[in-house]
Structures are given as C-alpha cells and as structure tokens.
Amino acid sequence: MKKLLVALTLFAACSATAQAQTLNVAATPVPHAEILEVVKPLLAKQGVELKVRVFTDYVQPNLQVQQEHLDANFFQHQPYLDEFNASRKSALVSVTGVHIEPFGAYSGKFKQLDQLPDGASVAIPNDATNGGRALLLLAKAGVITLKDGAGITATPKDIVANPKHIRVRELEAATLPRVLKQVDLALINTNYALEAGLNPTRDALAIEGSDSPYVNILVARPDNQNSAAMQKLAQALHSPEVKAFIADKYQGAVVPAF
C-alpha cells in the first residue's frame, strides 16, 4: 500500500508538471508591464506562469515573438502592427484589445498651443503610424492642415497649411521625453510620457479623445494565438481586477477598452 501511495503521489506530481503552462510576454514598462503584473496571480490560479520581459523600444518585442523567442507581446496598437507586418513580411496577429492611451502634445516652454512661436520646433515619432497619429492630432488642434485623405500614415509632406511655419523633427519615439526641453513641442506616446512623469490628462496641451481608434493589443503568432494559455491571458486582461487597476493607477491617462 505504501508503495502504491508513493507511486500515486509521483504520478500526480508529474501530471501537474505536465499541465503547468508558461507564457513569456514582452512589454514596455508603463503601463503594459504594470498591467501584466496585476494579471500574474490571476493566471497562476489557472495553472499558467506568466513571465514578463520588459523592452524599451517598439521593434524588438515584435521580432522576438516573430522569431519564436517569446510567446506574445503587449505594447502596440493595430495600425502599428499592420505597418510592422507589411514592412517585415511577418504575420503577427492581434489576440485581444485591452486599453487606449490617449496621445498627447507636450511642451516644457509653453502652457497653450497658441503660444507657439513662428518657426517652432515640433518633435514627432519617426515610425509611420505614430508619426501620422501625431500629425493628425496637430491638425485636429488647428496647428497645421493636412491634405485631403491624409490618414494614419501621413507624413510632413502631407502638410498643406502651416501658418506658424513649424519645423517638424522626426525622432525615435522613446527619445521624445528626453528632448522635451530642447524643442517647443513634442508629441509623445503615453507609455513614454507616463515613464517620464507626464500625465496626458493633466500636462498635455492637446490630447486625443477617449474615442481614439488606437487600442493597445495583445499580440501573438497564428500558431499560438488560440492556445489555452493565451486565451486565459486574454480573458485575464479583461478582468474586473485589471479594469479597476487601470482606473485607479492612471486616472484617465489610460482608458480600458473592454
């Protein structure tokens, strides 16, 4: 009987190990990695160990998933993913949408957009979708006018009216908070703004509305997007715990999309 109990115990332990699942997910520090930390204990209760790898750029997280070094990532919106897939000939897919980060325009020199001087230097992200997003926000705020039909991939060449003669500088998105004091205006993705201690609802001179189409998404590969562990992660990201955390932590700078 004792040998039988030992055997059954070993069998149960081996079965539990076999059933244990691990997900390795890339994320930018704020708010994505912070949100995933909230999700960790929720997944642990379901037998899924979530390991978060933090990145500070927008390229490596996709490359790491594409090359199967990581299972998924959480840092980007659909327009950025579409542009990445097209330019890299990859096939990464959205698993679910989680939140919106209203994009903002910031200045270390001025309190209102109408204070911008003639010839003001304006820094925007240099990737196609976020650069276009920045120009659309400037157009909505009346700083510039874009040609008809210019959308999320708009570039400075699409500016048809520029009454303040602003000079647009296209820079790596992650560097924009660091150059804020060197330019008159910088349009900064909210994850980088939050890391720099900026809050869009408090500090931005112009900000997207809560109806922004740029929902941040959980991204995986076609071969694992429907795995049991991935679907558990997607469900956990839509949990009441995550919604409450986003509301309490970010005070409107990040908005749940579920």
Side-chain angles (χ1 to χ4, degrees), residues 58-59 62 75-85 127-130 214:
Y58 285 168
V59 177
N62 275 338
F75 76 97
Q76 65 194 311
H77 49 63
Q78 188 68 52
Y80 182 88
L81 176 62
D82 291 342
E83 193 276 333
F84 181 90
N85 280 335
D127 62 271
T129 52
N130 285 308
Y214 299 93

Side-chain angles (χ1 to χ4, degrees), residues 31-32 99-103 133 189-191 208 214 216 253-254:
H32 306 85
H99 69 269
I100 296 167
E101 300 173 13
F103 197 76
R133 185 181 183 184
N189 292 80
T190 293
N191 60 305
E208 290 176 334
Y214 299 93
N216 279 226
V254 178

Side-chain angles (χ1 to χ4, degrees), residues 10-34:
L10 289 172
F11 176 78
C14 291
S15 297
T17 301
Q19 293 172 1
Q21 299 167 302
T22 300
L23 280 178
N24 293 284
V25 180
T28 43
V30 182
H32 306 85
E34 293 179 341

